[in-house]
Amino acid sequence: MKILFIHQNFPGQYKHLAPLLARQGHHCVALTLRVKAATTWQGVRVVPYTLPKREGQKLHPWLVDLDTKVTRGEACYHAARQLRDKGYVPDLILAHPGWGESLFLRDVWPEARMGLYCELFHLAGWPHLNFDPEFASKTPETEALRIRLKNLNNHLHFDQGHAGISPTRFQADTFPKPFRGRITVSHDGIDTLTACPLRDVRLEVEGAGTLTRDDEVITFVNRNLEPYRGYHIFMRALPRLLRERPKARVLIVGGDEVSYGARPPKGQTWKQIFIDEVRGQISDADWARVHFLGRIPYDRFLRLLQVSRVHVYLTYPFVLSWSLMEAMSCGAAIVAGDTAPVREVITHDETGRLVDFFDGAALVGEVCALLEDEAARHRLGVAARDLIRARYDLQTICLPRQVAWVSEVAEA
């Protein structure tokens, strides 16, 4: 088949699927903003498109989101027409519609089948909206209206896409009927051969030296350090955690930007806001045991998970992070916030420990209890890895399921 991938940051969620389909003999092309010049990546021809320069225009704030998506959709439409005019006609389009790029592609190729990566449909009810009262909307009476317009991009894709795929049941279940019935649940996959326990792992950390499994290491990972991923809850628990565990090293991974949710006040970062909030409660000696590592290369990230004695994961009811599942695959003992997406992989005292998302004292209590109980850590870590291997292994479970889904979309 001729397969066209659409993702503004390709390969994104197609990191493993696209190269596999290319190796199987399919002619794979990707349209993306990520590159400036055409190139080939693992057998996939990667073609850039660019956004037009536009004069500023006044928009209702509820329409800004849709405007950005239509802008990208139009730009991708013109790039697709150029491909069509050169004779390219895909049999199948696999698109992440989240940025609007795929809005008009079936106007270019009306006969092509389209499979959509269904990451999330935005719901206006609790707990999807205003889950965290500290960061609740200042205009709650109109939030449902804004969310309805934010979902226009999703609705516009339902008539374009023949089928969808979602990585977790929580994400799939946010989508409305009847399109929900066309969504297959299949995770992108965890490479359990790479993300695995390593007893003799060594991790160099500035200010801490070489850390091994013999050290008391507590880890916390976000793409960006922000409230949507519970950074504020973790930081507020930190003073007590450091007092109770005087030998622990706390390793925090994440950037200073915003991936989800509200932005901090202008000129500030959520990272620094919550450092400033708790720093006065922590002695200099204890603070020296807290290490902000920023964003780190993947091999170093895996060593961090492998050296972790207890890994903490917190999230609003939202997309589940790969980092949690990779930590489980590495056999880490997990303490996580008890929210719906987390419960899909963490069962309390079976594959980890669950605490109320907002209960910092309970978080500290469970972390300390596990640090004191090597047998419990081992039991939970083994069970966590077993679950990931059984349900989410990249090579044996997820990629075969995705390839089967691709065939079903193409042939239906």
Side-chain angles (χ1 to χ4, degrees):
M1 288 187 294
K2 292 181 179 178
I3 303 175
L4 176 64
F5 290 90
I6 306 294
H7 196 300
Q8 62 99 26
N9 193 34
F10 182 84
Q13 286 88 351
Y14 302 120
K15 175 181 177 181
H16 302 293
L17 178 61
L20 175 60
L21 291 173
R23 290 195 300 272
Q24 290 181 343
H26 300 290
H27 182 262
C28 296
V29 176
L31 272 177
T32 181
L33 286 172
R34 185 169 186 174
V35 299
K36 300 299 183 185
T39 186
T40 299
W41 174 80
Q42 295 195 33
V44 181
R45 180 185 171 209
V46 182
V47 179
Y49 77 93
T50 58
L51 297 179
K53 293 182 179 179
R54 294 192 331 182
E55 297 295 328
Q57 58 183 1
K58 289 188 176 180
L59 288 173
H60 192 290
W62 297 348
L63 287 174
V64 170
D65 182 77
L66 181 62
D67 180 69
T68 64
K69 290 173 170 56
V70 172
T71 298
R72 293 193 181 208
E74 181 191 19
C76 203
Y77 165 81
H78 289 303
R81 286 191 59 181
Q82 291 178 8
L83 285 175
R84 182 196 66 186
D85 292 346
K86 294 176 182 177
Y88 178 73
V89 179
D91 302 297
L92 177 64
I93 300 170
L94 298 180
H96 190 314
W99 298 274
E101 296 164 299
S102 42
L103 274 170
F104 310 116
L105 293 183
R106 293 200 58 228
D107 294 276
V108 181
W109 297 294
E111 300 303 318
R113 305 288 296 178
M114 181 180 282
L116 301 175
Y117 188 94
C118 298
E119 189 158 24
L120 196 73
F121 187 90
H122 305 281
L123 299 178
W126 189 92
H128 301 273
L129 186 65
N130 293 333
F131 170 73
D132 189 342
E134 182 175 352
F135 299 98
S137 170
K138 296 178 181 177
T139 56
E141 67 281 357
T142 61
E143 274 298 275
L145 312 183
R146 182 185 68 81
I147 293 296
R148 189 189 309 167
L149 291 179
K150 187 177 178 69
N151 274 320
L152 282 176
N153 177 59
N154 274 317
H155 282 290
L156 290 169
H157 275 92
F158 292 157
D159 288 337
Q160 305 295 314
H162 295 90
I165 192 167
S166 283
T168 67
R169 185 156 302 283
F170 171 82
Q171 289 165 263
D173 286 347
T174 62
F175 284 81
K177 296 178 180 179
F179 194 77
R180 170 63 186 89
R182 286 188 268 161
I183 297 176
T184 294
V185 177
S186 178
H187 196 265
D188 310 317
I190 302 299
D191 185 352
T192 63
L193 296 179
T194 302
C196 61
L198 185 61
R199 182 67 188 92
D200 59 352
V201 62
R202 300 168 67 85
L203 181 69
E204 299 291 334
V205 175
E206 185 176 354
T210 302
L211 298 177
T212 71
R213 293 285 297 170
D214 294 328
D215 295 295
E216 188 171 288
V217 176
I218 301 165
T219 53
F220 181 82
V221 173
N222 291 172
R223 179 189 302 173
N224 284 301
L225 302 174
E226 56 187 325
Y228 238 79
R229 295 304 197 191
Y231 170 67
H232 58 315
I233 302 297
F234 182 74
M235 288 301 290
R236 289 167 179 168
L238 198 53
R240 178 178 171 183
L241 183 59
L242 290 167
R243 288 195 300 270
E244 296 205 13
R245 306 305 302 184
K247 295 183 179 180
R249 293 280 179 179
V250 179
L251 308 184
I252 301 174
V253 171
D256 296 345
E257 300 171 6
V258 175
S259 298
Y260 319 107
R263 295 192 172 277
K266 189 173 182 179
Q268 301 183 61
T269 65
W270 289 124
K271 172 186 173 182
Q272 195 60 46
I273 285 171
F274 293 108
I275 288 176
D276 293 343
E277 180 180 318
V278 304
R279 183 62 182 86
Q281 306 169 47
I282 301 173
S283 70
D284 290 346
D286 282 349
W287 186 248
R289 296 186 285 116
V290 180
H291 307 274
F292 287 87
L293 306 184
R295 293 182 176 178
I296 58 178
Y298 188 68
D299 61 338
R300 182 169 168 79
F301 165 72
L302 286 182
R303 291 201 303 276
L304 175 133
L305 296 180
Q306 290 164 336
V307 83
S308 178
R309 192 166 286 187
V310 175
H311 180 73
V312 176
Y313 178 74
L314 300 166
T315 185
Y316 286 10
F318 192 61
V319 174
L320 195 66
S321 301
W322 277 38
S323 64
L324 170 62
M325 301 172 81
E326 287 167 321
M328 295 172 69
S329 184
C330 287
I334 309 292
V335 175
D338 187 5
T339 54
V342 174
R343 288 195 294 272
E344 208 159 318
V345 294
I346 299 290
T347 300
H348 182 66
D349 208 33
E350 291 184 16
T351 53
R353 298 275 174 86
L354 293 173
V355 297
D356 184 278
F357 176 89
F358 300 102
D359 193 341
L363 176 66
V364 172
E366 288 290 7
V367 170
C368 291
L370 282 179
L371 290 173
E372 289 291 331
D373 192 339
E374 183 178 358
R377 292 198 309 273
H378 177 75
R379 172 176 60 83
L380 295 174
V382 168
R385 177 166 169 78
D386 286 346
L387 181 139
I388 297 300
R389 293 180 67 192
R391 297 185 190 174
Y392 302 100
D393 181 73
L394 175 67
Q395 298 297 337
T396 63
I397 305 295
C398 295
L399 271 179
R401 188 178 295 159
Q402 291 170 44
V403 171
W405 174 77
V406 168
S407 297
E408 291 168 7
V409 178
E411 296 169 2

